[in-house]
Amino acid sequence: MKRILLSFSLLCSNALAHADLNIFACEPEWGSLAQAIGSNKVTAYNATTGLQDPHHIEARPSLIAQARQADLLVCTGAELEIGWLPLLLEKSGNAVIQPGKPGHFMAAEQVQLLDIPAKVDRSMGDVHADGNPHIQTDPRRIVQVAKALAERMAQLDTANAAHYQQGYAQFNNRWQTAMQGWQQQAAGLRGTPVVVHHKSWVYLQDWLGLQAVATLEPKPGIPPTTAHLTSVLQQLQTTPAKFVIHSAYENPKSAQWLSGKAEIPVIMLPSTVGGTPAANDLFKLFDDIINRLTSSRT
Amino acid sequence: MRHTHLPLTIAITAILTAPSIWAETSTDAQVKNALKPSANWQGSLILEGAYFDRSTDADLHVEGMPTGGHNHGFKEGLHTGHNELVVSGKLSDKLKARATTAITEKPEGEGNGLEAELEEAFVETQGLGNGVTIKAGRFHSDLGYLSGKHNHEWDFADTPLVYQGMFGEHTNDDGVQLSYIAPTKQLLQVGTEVFAGEKFPSGKTDKTISAATLYAKTGGDIGTDHSWQAGIGHWQANDIRDRSSAAHNHAGATETPRFSGNSKINTINATYKWAPNGNAKERNLKLQAEYFRRNESGTVDMVEGDGTIAETTGYKGKQSGWYTQAIYQFKPHWRVGVRHDRLKINNSADDKDVLEEAGLHSAGHTPKRNSLMLDYTPREYSRWRLQFNEDKSTPETDKQVILQYTHSFGSHGAHGF
């Protein structure tokens, strides 16, 4: 039995020996970004989909098997994956993706974070001590991550270093152009008051100048309660909002309830690649976000 | 209490933390830094309170099943349950440690008050490379599916009958574990453990190694909604000497049965989970089943209080059991679950009278149990659970109600699949 297993594993490792840079992306935006930079020199595996809540993922057998083989781990960090990534690192038996190694890349460490709390305790809900981790909704931060990621890929796979730098340069060119388009299209949104389900849009708000006047969750990570929704509704009497935003993986009921009572539209936004059918890469993700925000304007 | 094995644990820990592991990466300053409580050590306290009520006063010992475990069943009334104090942290960039102390009320018949038991105290490698992980000290065996899980991770307030029968609740012992994950897309893990702690169902042996295991697990996803894991395991202890079971009163004379011989357990398990779009927070389903079979061969002695052997017989023990359970989270924070437990005992001996006196004769009854539970987890650190058992471990049906509250302070790492 053991001999069969051994020869089987040798077979597999031989098959992988000449393969690409094997990337384990915790969220699809990073898998998509790594693929955009590395193109045919990388294989990116996305541990989650755009319809999953990245806070609540289980360290499933499939994820352990993928983490075992990864050359580079690309995750958000800032405690977003605290419920499952530490366990994957523990179980994987993989040396190169451990914290402190070049194969351990955390996107949140490459950018300035918002919402950094002065203190953290349980009474505040699921507050992340390092700051708000939902950085992927700001394209300015995406490109900062892209630059650092390309450098990291070049460091790990020196033979293809030039390829990654070139991949980044091309991505950056396309991205800057696209970003100008999005900003123009969304210019009218600046200063718009909105209600959000979870504090997962602070970076989008920061970029587009949206004003979040209320959240449906009473505290981060605590599901909306009737009492809290009622108080939000009351608050909207004095400080009205233009629409309610929730992400593809959040239960839309609370947003719909408030929408009905306050007579403002609900906008479901993809929080990452794959959150909606249209958002099938990073460019399309922001196309879709901006389209959804601007087409609902009243 | 098994504090006698503590020196062994310390010894193993010392061996593993020997210079070979440290040399590469650590200096004195780094070691000091790593041991600073604030740096990377986590502490957590998990408190359990339980109300327990039952319809009979019957002794729930399963006739025919060898005893030896230190079983903390629920006591009737409102009591503190299985409290755990967990300390874990990193010793170096490749080594972490964890200690779990269980604080429980003394079992019925052993007086009042609390007792502490060192359930786990181990060091484990992290990121050793090539899929290899080594663990040493006192730890829970990974032989089965539930075997490696702590009480507060169980989906029911109590452990399946087959775990109580096979291991006496917990599978922890002092030893070393080596595990390997193959570089494959589908999880393929093999592991082996050697134990030296004489923990039931092993016992005193002439060798350093009192028991050993070999196990394999595999698993993966089917689309985004389904995930699964399956495992097999083998446990073996050879040349067990004088493993004693609870004393039985027969016609006034108290004699203790002692088993000597070989014991082996084979097991198989499967787990399936479903969550729409892989988003388990809203709704999810978990199905799980495990089967264990134990075969023993050797002799059983009936030993009197003064140590003289009153009777002896050749013995072949055959006990098996399984449970299957389904847990459904129908809305965030709320879950319902059903479980069915069953045991089968078919022991034989050259001298049937001795078999009966030793409490190893099953008398034709098939022990089984049905359980129903509802739990509410308002936050990840607090949970209420209501459970009903229809317990037919003995010919007399016992109806049980358990109301359990669990609260954890601090953080202790995420739970596995």
Side-chain angles (χ1 to χ4, degrees):
Chain A
M1 179 69 178
K2 247 186 171 169
R3 193 175 296 170
I4 298 167
L5 284 177
L6 263 179
S7 48
F8 182 58
S9 66
L10 279 175
L11 207 87
C12 297
S13 56
N14 281 343
L16 289 164
H18 55 86
D20 315 325
L21 192 64
N22 208 335
I23 293 169
F24 181 102
C26 284
E27 291 84 23
E29 62 269 23
W30 310 130
S32 188
L33 185 61
Q35 201 73 64
I37 295 167
S39 56
N40 61 344
K41 301 286 189 230
V42 301
T43 306
Y45 170 79
N46 292 324
T48 56
T49 73
L51 297 176
Q52 286 175 318
D53 183 345
H55 300 88
H56 299 276
I57 299 295
E58 251 192 313
R60 303 190 305 278
S62 59
L63 300 188
I64 296 169
Q66 293 289 348
R68 153 74 169 96
Q69 299 182 72
D71 303 312
L72 173 60
L73 185 86
V74 183
C75 296
T76 299
E79 298 187 343
L80 178 65
E81 303 95 350
I82 199 165
W84 50 285
L85 185 59
L87 200 60
L88 281 186
L89 291 171
E90 251 176 69
K91 300 245 173 195
S92 68
N94 184 343
V96 302
I97 58 166
Q98 299 295 328
K101 295 282 189 302
H104 187 91
F105 181 91
M106 294 290 131
E109 290 171 10
Q110 321 302 328
V111 300
Q112 175 64 50
L113 297 185
L114 300 175
D115 288 353
I116 298 171
K119 70 175 185 91
V120 175
D121 71 54
R122 274 180 176 175
S123 68
M124 302 159 73
D126 294 339
V127 169
H128 302 284
D130 299 330
N132 190 313
H134 306 286
I135 57 171
Q136 81 286 0
T137 58
D138 178 359
R140 297 168 306 179
R141 284 177 165 88
I142 292 268
V143 79
Q144 287 170 5
V145 174
K147 185 164 192 287
L149 182 58
E151 281 165 13
R152 192 64 65 87
M153 287 158 81
Q155 183 190 346
L156 285 167
D157 182 10
T158 45
N160 293 309
H163 172 83
Y164 298 126
Q165 287 311 331
Q166 199 187 343
Y168 164 69
Q170 280 172 2
F171 173 81
N172 189 32
N173 276 340
R174 277 186 68 202
W175 195 253
Q176 297 298 342
T177 312
M179 205 153 59
Q180 275 176 14
W182 296 324
Q183 279 162 203
Q184 274 166 18
Q185 202 184 336
L189 290 170
R190 197 152 287 277
T192 305
V194 298
V195 177
V196 296
H197 182 106
H198 176 71
K199 290 189 82 175
S200 45
W201 305 102
V202 293
Y203 295 93
L204 183 78
Q205 295 157 24
D206 185 55
W207 174 49
L208 296 178
L210 299 173
Q211 301 291 324
V213 294
T215 53
L216 300 182
E217 291 180 340
K219 286 168 186 172
I222 313 287
T225 57
T226 315
H228 179 72
L229 289 178
T230 311
S231 78
V232 170
L233 184 61
Q234 274 172 358
Q235 190 196 326
L236 292 184
Q237 312 281 328
T238 49
T239 47
K242 285 281 164 59
F243 40 79
V244 192
I245 298 173
H246 73 90
S247 74
Y249 61 78
E250 282 156 355
N251 192 325
K253 275 186 209 151
S254 306
Q256 283 162 356
W257 180 88
L258 189 72
S259 161
K261 297 279 180 195
E263 294 176 339
I264 52 173
V266 176
I267 304 182
M268 187 274 272
L269 292 183
S271 60
T272 183
V273 176
T276 56
N280 56 17
D281 70 22
L282 275 172
F283 290 90
K284 303 263 177 56
L285 169 67
F286 283 95
D287 286 348
D288 196 35
I289 288 178
I290 301 297
N291 280 339
R292 282 168 184 264
L293 283 174
T294 50
S295 60
S296 288
R297 261 165 69 208
T298 45
Chain B
M1 301 293 285
R2 298 187 299 120
H3 284 170
T4 44
H5 305 307
L6 198 56
L8 177 82
T9 312
I10 294 166
I12 294 165
T13 310
I15 293 161
L16 253 193
T17 52
S20 59
I21 297 270
W22 292 99
E24 206 186 327
T25 50
S26 302
T27 64
D28 281 355
Q30 279 172 321
V31 173
K32 267 188 205 152
N33 202 35
L35 292 169
K36 236 194 294 175
S38 58
N40 53 19
W41 286 82
Q42 296 186 320
S44 85
L45 177 65
I46 297 149
L47 296 180
E48 181 196 84
Y51 172 80
F52 178 60
D53 194 18
R54 53 187 292 211
S55 65
T56 72
D57 299 324
D59 176 8
L60 286 176
H61 168 67
V62 173
E63 199 65 18
M65 191 62 92
T67 58
H70 185 65
N71 195 354
H72 285 272
F74 287 104
K75 278 185 184 178
E76 275 186 88
L78 188 62
H79 289 279
T80 169
H82 186 96
N83 306 297
E84 289 173 17
L85 183 64
V86 187
V87 180
S88 61
K90 289 196 120 185
L91 295 172
S92 77
D93 68 339
K94 287 230 183 310
L95 206 59
K96 59 188 178 19
R98 176 178 170 125
T100 304
T101 308
I103 302 151
T104 48
E105 281 193 24
K106 284 184 178 164
E108 223 136 7
E110 291 182 27
N112 290 318
L114 295 172
E115 64 173 38
E117 184 187 345
L118 188 66
E119 248 179 39
E120 289 178 313
F122 62 80
V123 288
E124 186 177 21
T125 65
Q126 174 165 344
L128 208 55
N130 299 313
V132 174
T133 303
I134 301 166
K135 193 191 269 192
R138 179 174 296 175
F139 55 89
H140 290 107
S141 171
D142 273 324
L143 176 73
Y145 176 76
L146 262 188
S147 63
K149 301 207 182 286
H150 292 93
N151 287 45
H152 71 268
E153 294 178 64
W154 298 347
D155 292 320
F156 288 86
D158 46 16
T159 182
L161 290 177
V162 68
Y163 269 91
Q164 287 168 20
M166 291 286 156
F167 304 102
E169 198 162 314
H170 286 128
T171 60
N172 56 340
D173 203 349
D174 300 334
V176 179
Q177 181 192 64
L178 173 70
S179 134
Y180 169 74
I181 295 175
T184 50
K185 205 175 154 199
Q186 177 174 322
L187 177 75
L188 188 60
Q189 180 182 15
V190 288
T192 181
E193 297 159 327
V194 290
F195 292 112
E198 302 173 1
K199 168 91 196 289
F200 178 80
S202 184
K204 285 193 205 80
T205 60
D206 295 332
K207 299 168 195 150
T208 324
I209 294 169
S210 60
T213 70
L214 194 62
Y215 61 88
K217 293 177 204 287
T218 183
D221 290 342
I222 306 161
T224 51
D225 295 7
H226 317 272
S227 52
W228 62 280
Q229 182 181 293
I232 50 169
H234 176 78
W235 178 98
Q236 192 158 342
N238 289 344
D239 304 322
I240 298 168
R241 291 233 328 242
D242 299 335
R243 182 188 76 200
S244 50
S245 286
H248 283 256
N249 286 307
H250 278 275
T254 303
E255 291 177 356
T256 306
R258 277 191 195 162
F259 167 77
S260 298
N262 299 339
S263 178
K264 59 184 176 191
I265 296 172
N266 286 303
T267 180
I268 182 164
N269 62 72
T271 308
Y272 161 83
K273 293 187 187 183
W274 169 82
N277 291 323
N279 210 12
K281 197 187 174 188
E282 292 286 326
R283 279 186 306 147
N284 70 78
L285 174 73
K286 178 181 178 189
L287 305 176
Q288 153 194 347
E290 290 190 79
Y291 170 81
F292 289 83
R293 189 179 66 196
R294 176 162 59 202
N295 285 80
E296 303 195 309
S297 68
T299 56
V300 169
D301 300 332
M302 294 305 293
V303 185
E304 288 173 4
D306 60 4
T308 48
I309 295 169
E311 286 166 294
T312 185
T313 180
Y315 166 73
K316 282 206 184 313
K318 262 193 201 170
Q319 302 112 28
S320 63
W322 55 271
Y323 74 89
T324 179
Q325 65 183 54
I327 308 288
Y328 180 55
Q329 181 177 310
F330 53 96
K331 59 189 264 188
H333 315 296
W334 288 91
R335 309 190 309 162
V336 285
V338 289
R339 178 181 67 187
H340 180 73
D341 271 295
R342 194 174 281 238
L343 298 174
K344 192 177 161 194
I345 293 150
N346 194 6
N347 304 326
S348 60
D350 302 335
D351 188 334
K352 287 234 169 65
D353 294 339
V354 179
L355 192 71
E356 240 170 85
E357 283 174 42
L360 293 169
H361 185 63
S362 68
H365 173 69
T366 303
K368 41 190 171 183
R369 183 174 66 180
N370 293 310
S371 307
L372 192 64
M373 81 88 190
L374 172 74
D375 69 18
Y376 171 58
T377 311
R379 297 296 305 273
E380 56 270 34
Y381 51 78
S382 89
R383 182 180 58 218
W384 290 94
R385 177 176 287 149
L386 180 64
Q387 183 179 330
F388 299 97
N389 287 340
E390 185 193 44
D391 192 336
K392 295 177 179 172
S393 306
T394 64
E396 196 178 358
T397 303
D398 190 33
K399 294 202 165 126
Q400 303 159 357
V401 182
I402 306 164
L403 179 66
Q404 183 195 33
Y405 178 70
T406 314
H407 194 104
S408 76
F409 298 91
S411 62
H412 58 273
H415 297 160
F417 182 78

